[in-house]
Amino acid sequence: MDGDRGQAHTLEAIVAGLLLLSSVVYALQMTAVTPLSASTSSQHIENQQSSVARGVLAAAAERDALRPTLLYWNNDSAEFHGAPGTGYYTTGPPNTTFGGMLERAFDDAAIAYNVDVRYRTTDGDVARKPMVHRGVPSDNAVRSARAVTLTDDDRLVDPDGSRNVTVAESSTFYADDLNGTVYNVVRVEVVAWRI
């Protein structure tokens, strides 16, 4: 009788060990880390990219570099200067102070980015105008945005830095005139991701 009990305990121990081992194997399969899965290091990189994007926008706003870039518009061809055919930049940023800041912050660090301008339409909807389009953002892309108020007397900027017609006088400017002294409040959004 004692031998039967010993065999039963041994068999129970083996079954319990197999259950424990299969549970561990199953748990490891469910939490396998792949190069594309989130980890603390990739979260750190995302936080770093987000900080850089916020920092670039804050520095550009402080230096008043966002407004001239938003106004760097060719009234004749209805596109940003130096972005023929597409209306936005695909190989690099605009040739402005803000463009230089983007280049130093992201291009030199092998980080891809897009810059979009969002604004209200006269219908009350929100429209998007791409300024820089460098590709489709990855799933772990970060976004940062800054609002800039454009007034009716803001003038379009030519490549040589000279001022052109006002946004209110422009027939091709991308953002709608919402009437009043405020032409529109646009939101500059930077989307960044690791290449």
Side-chain angles (χ1 to χ4, degrees), residues 28-42 140:
L28 287 174
Q29 287 177 343
M30 295 305 292
T31 60
V33 176
T34 67
L36 297 177
S37 64
S39 67
T40 55
S41 64
S42 67
N140 59 351

Side-chain angles (χ1 to χ4, degrees), residues 117-130:
V117 181
R118 297 185 187 276
Y119 56 91
R120 287 232 175 261
T121 65
T122 52
D123 298 335
D125 296 327
V126 175
R128 179 182 71 89
K129 171 68 180 160

Side-chain angles (χ1 to χ4, degrees), residues 11-24:
L11 187 57
E12 284 177 10
I14 291 172
V15 170
L18 286 173
L19 281 173
L20 182 62
L21 180 63
S22 61
S23 298
V24 169

Side-chain angles (χ1 to χ4, degrees), residues 149-153 167-168 176-184:
T149 301
L150 298 178
T151 61
D152 287 344
D153 57 353
V167 289
D176 290 353
D177 186 353
L178 299 182
N179 298 321
T181 55
V182 171
Y183 183 85
N184 207 315

Side-chain angles (χ1 to χ4, degrees), residues 57-193:
L57 286 169
E62 187 176 306
R63 293 178 64 185
D64 197 27
L66 290 175
R67 182 182 317 280
T69 302
L70 292 168
L71 300 170
Y72 194 62
W73 184 257
N74 186 330
N75 194 42
D76 295 330
S77 62
E79 61 193 5
F80 289 104
H81 288 291
T86 59
Y88 51 85
Y89 303 96
T90 57
T91 58
N95 188 22
T96 63
T97 302
F98 178 54
M101 295 169 85
L102 289 168
E103 192 168 31
R104 285 188 299 280
F106 295 118
D107 289 343
D108 295 347
I111 297 172
Y113 61 93
N114 292 338
V115 179
D116 291 324
V117 181
R118 297 185 187 276
Y119 56 91
R120 287 232 175 261
T121 65
T122 52
D123 298 335
D125 296 327
V126 175
R128 179 182 71 89
K129 171 68 180 160
M131 179 187 289
V132 179
H133 186 77
R134 306 290 296 274
V136 177
S138 66
D139 290 341
N140 59 351
V142 296
R143 298 174 191 280
S144 189
R146 191 96 179 187
V148 178
T149 301
L150 298 178
T151 61
D152 287 344
D153 57 353
D154 280 330
R155 294 189 169 275
L156 301 182
V157 178
D158 287 335
D160 63 2
S162 64
R163 302 294 173 159
N164 205 316
V165 299
T166 65
V167 289
E169 296 169 333
S170 172
S171 59
T172 65
F173 191 64
Y174 55 89
D176 290 353
D177 186 353
L178 299 182
N179 298 321
T181 55
V182 171
Y183 183 85
N184 207 315
V185 177
V186 298
R187 192 169 160 84
V188 181
E189 182 182 64
V190 175
V191 182
W193 68 97

